[in-house]
Amino acid sequence: MAADKDEVAWAFSFPAIDGGVLDLATFKGRVLLVANTASFCGYTYQYDGLEKLNTAKSAAGLTVIGVPSQDFNQESPDNATVKTFCETRFDIDFPLAAISHVKGAQAAPFYAWVAAQRQWQPAWNFNKVLIGRDGRIAGTFGSGDEPDGPALSAAIAAALLRAA
């Protein structure tokens, strides 16, 4: 799918981890933090920070979305295992996509759009894309940008202040 320069995040969806569709249009007007995740990565502990961030900032308009990916060979083989791991180990309550590609020719349409817009794709697990209330990309962040770190915190605060 060719990414249109005028498209916004609300045009995309992912298969949901428990079946159905995770349609980003349902979050229109909110700030999204989309993180590609993996169960067996050195950064897997960030699930805890992502859940705390989602809980703390939800009322202000933030939603975290996890996108499990096997692109870096550190994810469980099936959605049910990933879902159970996230719920039992980290008490994840934010939306999770089904296991998806996040880079390269097979990237999910959302990630293909981010690559076209920013010439950026996840370089590793727990890379993050911040989407503003207007559906446009407000920033991209690497694995080392912690959910409660200064760079991400400042970008989220600024995005939450902007109108849709």
Side-chain angles (χ1 to χ4, degrees):
M1 170 179 168
D4 182 325
K5 69 180 180 83
D6 294 324
E7 280 182 314
V8 294
W10 319 135
F12 302 100
S13 63
F14 291 94
I17 199 159
D18 51 4
V21 175
L22 179 56
D23 187 353
L24 298 186
T26 62
F27 302 101
K28 189 174 183 178
R30 292 184 66 79
V31 172
L32 301 181
L33 183 63
V34 182
N36 64 298
T37 61
S39 300
F40 304 108
C41 176
Y43 290 102
T44 300
Y45 69 89
Q46 285 190 13
Y47 266 129
D48 188 48
L50 291 170
E51 178 59 31
K52 286 178 182 171
L53 183 61
N54 187 67
T55 300
K57 300 288 184 183
S58 180
L62 176 72
T63 299
V64 172
I65 295 177
V67 182
S69 180
Q70 181 61 348
D71 284 354
F72 304 103
N73 302 310
Q74 295 189 317
E75 187 52 273
S76 295
D78 63 82
N79 291 319
T81 304
V82 173
K83 185 174 192 280
T84 299
F85 173 82
C86 289
E87 290 174 351
T88 58
R89 179 107 187 263
F90 294 98
D91 201 23
I92 297 301
D93 194 37
F94 57 77
L96 290 169
I99 298 170
S100 303
H101 289 287
V102 298
K103 67 179 189 127
Q106 293 182 315
F110 171 84
Y111 280 99
W113 170 71
V114 173
Q117 293 289 308
R118 291 290 180 103
Q119 291 69 56
W120 179 93
Q121 66 180 358
W124 194 243
N125 302 307
F126 290 88
N127 280 207
K128 300 149 194 90
V129 180
L130 184 64
I131 302 296
R133 292 182 190 274
D134 60 359
R136 300 200 183 283
I137 301 165
T140 55
F141 301 87
S143 305
D145 290 304
E146 299 283 336
D148 62 352
L152 198 50
S153 294
I156 290 169
L160 287 170
L161 289 174
R162 285 190 206 100

